[in-house]
Amino acid sequence: MVRWRSWSRRRRRTVWAALGAAALLVVPVGSVGLALGAEAAGDPSALARTRGHDAVWLGHGWVDGHKGPADLAALPQLVRGGVHDLYVHAGPLEHDGSLPAALYPQARALIDAVHRELPGVRVQAWLGDLVEPEADGLHLDQAAVRDRITASARQVLDAGFDGVHLDLEPLHSGDGGYLALLDQVHALTAARGVPLSVATPQIDPLPALHTAAALLTGHPKWWSQAYFAQVARRTDQIAVMSYDTAMPTQALYTGYVAQQTALALEVTPPSVDLLMGLPAYYADQWGHQGSAETVAAAVRGVRLGLTRNAVDRRTFGVGMYADFTATAADWASYRDDWCRELP
């Protein structure tokens, strides 16, 4: 755990001690509200805006033939702002780690169109699957599975993609097989001169909270900050899935995102792009309140976390999840609140 170096970080430790205890049903809910309210307070710096390192997750329709010429023509207008990377769903991987090439027959048409109409924007292959032991899926502890995933990464790069984006879930904190996989795939992408990016769970708001969650629910949910750092060092870009938080109001969600941003900034190397996910989708269920988890609330939390911790950092951005659910209001929040100075 990184040492808390300032009054603000000592304050955050107190804040999140209250949150962690509340998660274990020890502290009344009111304490959580006060803690997160403190994180959501204040004004973000005018400098806490896009650095042109943002990303968007794009659905499978862009590579399987469902999207046509009209969609390709409209894409530049859709993703205008600070977007530098498109994570295009090219999977899912088979449970043995392989990837049928028939899943992305229109990939070359998309890549060529993006390179032509959006110069400088990278098209990364989004590869995902479920992971053992919590789900019936990939056995990352098996070298043969890791080798096939690496071969699948090589396959999409040979097809013309500009990078590899891994989204393997649910991944438990401390998973050694995942670290070994990242070492293999990163060696491949580095040799090709393209990025390896990953999507990750949120970070423990209180040390070892993931362990308590695993004991109580069987689903650890969070990663330790130390494990997050290990993953970050093995990538070029790391995107925190900072949504599905069970926060009931926008203010509480803003405070939560501000703290997640701070925790991630503390341990992500300056050479690695850190992205915070924005929930451009609507759902009303226990883990995600659509009225609370909005793009606008997330952007405010990101800006507050950036303001307090690393307002001058260039290798930082946000990721819109996802194009197939985002509304005009979601895109407006991204452009108005995060990309205000850009066309």
Side-chain angles (χ1 to χ4, degrees):
M1 186 71 177
V2 173
R3 181 172 62 88
W4 301 86
R5 293 182 293 273
S6 67
W7 178 87
S8 63
R9 290 184 180 171
R10 289 195 298 272
R11 176 175 69 92
R12 286 201 298 271
R13 188 171 188 174
T14 302
V15 163
W16 286 93
L19 175 59
L24 297 177
L25 304 179
V26 176
V27 175
V29 172
S31 297
V32 180
L34 290 173
L36 290 173
E39 290 294 332
D43 296 319
S45 168
L47 299 177
R49 301 285 186 187
T50 186
R51 282 88 166 101
H53 287 251
D54 303 329
V56 182
W57 280 270
L58 297 183
H60 200 80
W62 290 97
V63 293
D64 70 0
H66 282 85
K67 297 285 188 180
D71 299 297
L72 289 173
L75 185 60
Q77 181 69 11
L78 178 69
V79 303
R80 72 187 190 279
V83 173
H84 186 240
D85 287 282
L86 304 177
Y87 303 144
V88 184
H89 191 267
L93 296 166
E94 297 292 313
H95 289 348
D96 68 355
S98 61
L99 177 68
L103 289 176
Y104 48 91
Q106 298 301 314
R108 174 54 68 179
L110 171 67
I111 295 166
D112 289 346
V114 171
H115 289 173
R116 181 177 63 252
E117 303 297 335
L118 292 166
V121 172
R122 301 180 297 197
V123 184
Q124 299 195 43
W126 169 12
L127 304 179
D129 193 21
L130 300 174
V131 178
E132 296 277 356
E134 194 175 332
D136 181 18
L138 297 166
H139 288 265
L140 296 182
D141 58 331
Q142 297 180 6
V145 171
R146 298 195 298 270
D147 289 345
R148 280 190 288 269
I149 297 173
T150 304
S152 295
R154 182 179 297 106
Q155 178 180 314
V156 293
L157 295 181
D158 289 343
F161 283 96
D162 301 314
V164 176
H165 177 73
L166 295 179
D167 178 15
L168 308 181
E169 304 178 46
L171 272 169
H172 291 191
S173 185
D175 190 314
Y178 184 58
L179 297 181
L181 172 66
L182 293 181
D183 287 337
Q184 285 185 217
V185 179
H186 200 202
L188 167 67
T189 57
R192 297 288 188 96
V194 298
L196 169 62
S197 64
V198 297
T200 75
Q202 298 147 35
I203 300 173
D204 271 340
L206 182 71
L209 189 57
H210 68 280
T211 302
L215 292 173
L216 290 172
T217 69
H219 175 55
K221 183 175 174 63
W222 299 279
W223 278 358
S224 73
Q225 192 183 42
Y227 185 66
F228 184 93
Q230 288 181 285
V231 170
R233 290 194 295 270
R234 289 168 166 82
T235 68
D236 302 294
Q237 194 174 63
I238 188 165
V240 182
M241 296 182 287
S242 41
Y243 32 76
D244 296 341
T245 65
M247 295 293 111
T249 69
Q250 288 192 33
L252 293 178
Y253 179 58
T254 290
Y256 187 88
V257 172
Q259 178 61 6
Q260 285 294 309
T261 302
L263 289 170
L265 282 167
E266 287 177 5
V267 295
T268 303
S271 59
V272 175
D273 272 350
L274 170 62
L275 277 64
M276 302 303 295
L278 305 181
Y281 63 97
Y282 188 91
D284 266 325
Q285 53 199 33
W286 182 87
H288 182 102
Q289 297 297 316
S291 60
E293 295 196 25
T294 65
V295 171
V299 167
R300 174 170 167 78
V302 169
R303 293 186 65 211
L304 285 169
L306 188 62
T307 296
R308 294 167 183 159
N309 295 272
V311 74
D312 295 326
R313 179 177 175 131
R314 305 309 303 170
T315 50
F316 184 87
V318 298
M320 286 279 283
Y321 182 85
D323 82 294
F324 47 86
T325 53
T327 65
D330 293 328
W331 284 111
S333 291
Y334 163 69
R335 296 188 186 105
D336 294 345
D337 301 337
W338 180 243
C339 306
R340 184 171 298 171
E341 303 304 321
L342 294 181

